Amino acid sequence: MRFFFRSRQFKIILSITLCLVALSIMSFLIGGNLSPQSNVFGTIAAPFRTAFTTVSGWTSDFVKMIGDGNEAQIKNAELENELNELRKKLSDYDEAVKQNEFYEDYLEIKDENPDFKFCPATLVARDKNDPYKSFTINKGSLSGLKEYDTVITDAGLVGYITDVGLTTSKVITILSPDITLGALDDRTDDSGVLSGTLELAEEGNTRFYNLSRSCNVAIGDFVVTSGEGIFPSGLLIGTVQSIGSDKYNTSIYASVKPFVDIAEIRSVMVITNFEGKGGLEVGGSK
Amino acid sequence: MGEVNSMIRKKLNPIIILSNILIFIVVLFFQTSEIFDISIKTATPMIPLSLIIGFAFFSSMRSAIIWGLISGIMIDSVAYKSYCFNAIAFMLIAVAVYLASNNLFNKNLKAALVLALICSVVYFVLLWILFYSKTSIDSSLGYLLKYALPSATYTAVLVIPFYFIYRYFSKKIIKN
């Protein structure tokens, strides 16, 4: 084994490691961009990932349907098989209708916020080892996406973009403690900070904290973005599920159930521009 | 062992090469897609790591480095704030497993499991130190105890199928 450390192979490994360490440091310092090698591999793999994700979506839908044990659904599946040929003819039409519905939901948000510029994207990979459910989408700098762009669905806020590659981008979710954003109780206008914790992320919830002791936040209230920082104001986040007081009894916090089921997301919209964007830098430990 | 390695290099069967590439592609895509989530509660295995350990146990040093590096970069391209951590970790783990299996251990299942456990614990502890330890103490320790260590154990156990697959490939190559 000691000969190994004098061998050519060891020198090659050492050089590769040093190069990668240098690239890591560079990516860390520059921030917001995928490392060059991840970018190249990510770009090559992106179309395959999209195809794989689509197939996996169909499979999980099918498995879920079977798992439900609903006879009507199973019968429906049998009928669907019989109508397969007809469906083939109608598939283009169905696809168009689906896309139309998808955009219709966002049209409502767009109507309310004419300054928003959207870019639709599809989830292509999920970091399964991240308890905060971060994921990768199939759009990158080629589509005009940038670091800190807001990611939403028709139900509400999802998170923001942390790393941008040519054709892929990584998204951090509102379940993560690395995200910190200003939020408001929609009913009472009480303001606080929204950030995740591991315990709440396990339940799919996030934390609305730093609320003053005199606040009137109640269970069932809607929480929206306050517009401070990188997010546009008034975006729906979730509902207050429970209320507690912090360790030193100085402020109140609430557990918020996001409107978006982050574990089930398949397509999102990225807000690439809005009025007042770039006013403040992002908070959190990033 | 050097003799066996040179045999491996000389008599590589194209079917085995293709099967190997296919196994890597499928495992890498399964790791990042929603299909067949084999997590048990909070234990989420890093299947490509089990694959790399099983592969490096029977491969040549060069193959171990190349496949370790490629798998790591592929994981880096989708993992949250990983920078080049996975590329470095996977490559070094592949080299360490190759060296240990050829110099310190017999190539049996017990050795593979021990090596897999050591490597996956090191991997998940490093992941925790670098990326998840800077949050609150509760979240940080919670990640280590609830996620990292169970996931490391699960990853180590998953080396078993890959051990048998690559042992079979290795025997086939030697027979040829």
Side-chain angles (χ1 to χ4, degrees):
Chain A
M1 182 117 101
R2 68 197 147 127
F3 297 113
F4 169 71
F5 293 103
R6 290 183 208 155
S7 67
R8 197 164 62 98
Q9 277 167 330
F10 176 70
K11 285 170 194 160
I12 293 171
I13 294 166
L14 196 67
S15 334
I16 297 173
T17 311
L18 288 175
C19 286
L20 288 171
V21 170
L23 283 171
S24 306
I25 296 168
M26 234 169 66
S27 318
F28 176 75
L29 292 177
I30 296 167
N33 288 310
L34 284 176
S35 58
Q37 75 280 11
S38 295
N39 207 347
V40 171
F41 276 75
T43 306
I44 295 167
F48 301 105
R49 279 210 174 99
T50 309
F52 207 80
T53 311
T54 312
V55 173
S56 83
W58 293 339
T59 314
S60 66
D61 281 348
F62 183 73
V63 169
K64 209 181 257 175
M65 196 178 76
I66 299 291
D68 283 349
N70 189 331
E71 271 182 37
Q73 272 184 323
I74 293 166
K75 210 167 186 179
N76 193 29
E78 283 168 9
L79 284 170
E80 265 187 37
N81 281 338
E82 284 171 25
L83 289 168
N84 225 3
E85 263 185 49
L86 280 170
R87 283 206 165 193
K88 266 180 199 166
K89 285 178 190 170
L90 285 168
S91 66
D92 285 347
Y93 171 76
D94 282 345
E95 190 59 35
V97 169
K98 227 185 222 177
Q99 222 165 28
N100 199 26
E101 277 171 8
F102 176 73
Y103 287 116
E104 235 172 50
D105 292 331
Y106 289 101
L107 200 62
E108 220 173 282
I109 304 172
K110 177 81 180 160
D111 281 346
E112 286 165 14
N113 306 279
D115 54 317
F116 283 9
K117 280 197 177 142
F118 287 126
C119 175
T122 309
L123 184 146
V124 286
R126 198 181 274 282
D127 184 358
K128 284 186 185 167
N129 288 95
D130 180 28
Y132 309 112
K133 299 185 171 58
S134 62
F135 56 87
T136 305
I137 53 173
N138 67 343
K139 293 283 165 69
S141 56
L142 284 181
S143 309
L145 267 56
K146 289 186 289 294
E147 189 188 10
Y148 301 136
D149 278 350
T150 306
V151 179
I152 60 166
T153 70
D154 55 322
L157 182 67
V158 175
Y160 70 81
I161 287 174
T162 54
D163 297 290
V164 187
L166 271 179
T167 57
T168 57
S169 301
K170 293 181 190 176
V171 177
I172 179 182
T173 70
I174 49 173
L175 303 182
S176 171
D178 289 345
I179 207 167
T180 308
L181 64 120
L184 287 176
D185 183 307
D186 198 32
R187 184 179 58 87
T188 62
D189 270 353
D190 285 311
S191 67
V193 179
L194 195 108
S195 186
T197 66
L198 186 74
E199 299 73 39
L200 289 175
E202 282 168 8
E203 300 156 17
N205 292 354
T206 185
R207 194 169 58 131
F208 183 32
Y209 64 103
N210 263 4
L211 293 160
S212 74
R213 289 205 64 79
S214 58
C215 74
N216 295 313
V217 174
I219 292 171
D221 282 359
F222 286 6
V223 180
V224 297
T225 52
S226 66
E228 290 165 21
I230 56 164
F231 298 100
S233 62
L235 285 178
L236 284 170
I237 299 173
T239 48
V240 174
Q241 272 216 322
S242 61
I243 297 166
S245 138
D246 72 0
K247 255 193 248 176
Y248 309 103
N249 237 8
T250 52
S251 65
I252 302 270
Y253 72 86
S255 166
V256 174
K257 181 91 193 158
F259 288 119
V260 182
D261 186 354
I262 289 168
E264 297 292 324
I265 292 173
R266 288 196 192 156
S267 354
V268 293
M269 271 295 179
V270 182
I271 302 175
T272 54
N273 207 357
F274 62 90
E275 214 170 274
K277 191 188 176 188
L280 284 164
E281 261 309 293
V282 68
S285 59
K286 171 106 188 142
Chain B
M1 197 57 233
E3 206 177 299
V4 174
N5 281 336
S6 61
M7 281 172 74
I8 290 170
R9 249 175 261 136
K10 274 178 198 166
K11 297 196 172 183
L12 268 179
N13 181 336
I15 296 171
I16 289 177
I17 297 175
L18 277 177
S19 315
N20 189 33
I21 292 172
L22 200 70
I23 290 170
F24 268 88
I25 290 173
V26 168
V27 166
L28 284 167
F29 279 112
F30 269 78
Q31 177 66 25
T32 52
S33 80
E34 304 281 346
I35 200 167
F36 298 132
D37 189 2
I38 55 166
S39 306
I40 302 174
K41 289 191 175 175
T42 53
T44 310
M46 177 55 90
I47 315 171
L49 187 65
S50 316
L51 170 66
I52 277 295
I53 294 168
F55 174 77
F57 217 70
F58 295 103
S59 76
S60 65
M61 166 86 93
R62 195 178 53 179
S63 309
I65 295 171
I66 293 170
W67 284 107
L69 196 60
I70 292 174
S71 313
I73 293 172
M74 290 294 279
I75 295 295
D76 275 334
S77 69
V78 294
Y80 170 56
K81 50 176 190 182
S82 66
Y83 306 107
C84 303
F85 169 73
N86 288 294
I88 298 170
F90 275 48
M91 185 186 71
L92 294 182
I93 284 173
V95 172
V97 169
Y98 169 83
L99 288 174
S101 66
N102 284 294
N103 298 291
L104 302 173
F105 290 95
N106 292 322
K107 293 197 176 213
N108 55 27
L109 183 61
K110 211 167 129 187
L113 277 170
V114 170
L115 266 175
L117 189 64
I118 295 169
C119 291
S120 46
V121 166
V122 168
Y123 172 83
F124 277 98
V125 168
L126 278 175
L127 193 73
W128 169 67
I129 292 171
L130 292 172
F131 303 118
Y132 292 100
S133 61
K134 285 153 208 139
T135 52
S136 68
I137 293 175
D138 286 347
S139 287
S140 167
L141 279 178
Y143 179 81
L144 179 69
L145 300 173
K146 271 195 198 166
Y147 287 84
L149 295 179
S151 300
T153 314
Y154 196 175
T155 304
V157 171
L158 279 184
V159 86
I160 297 171
F162 297 116
Y163 169 85
F164 285 111
I165 289 170
Y166 285 109
R167 193 179 70 165
Y168 172 76
F169 282 172
S170 155
K171 276 184 183 167
K172 267 253 167 194
I173 290 164
I174 292 167
K175 256 188 206 170
N176 288 339

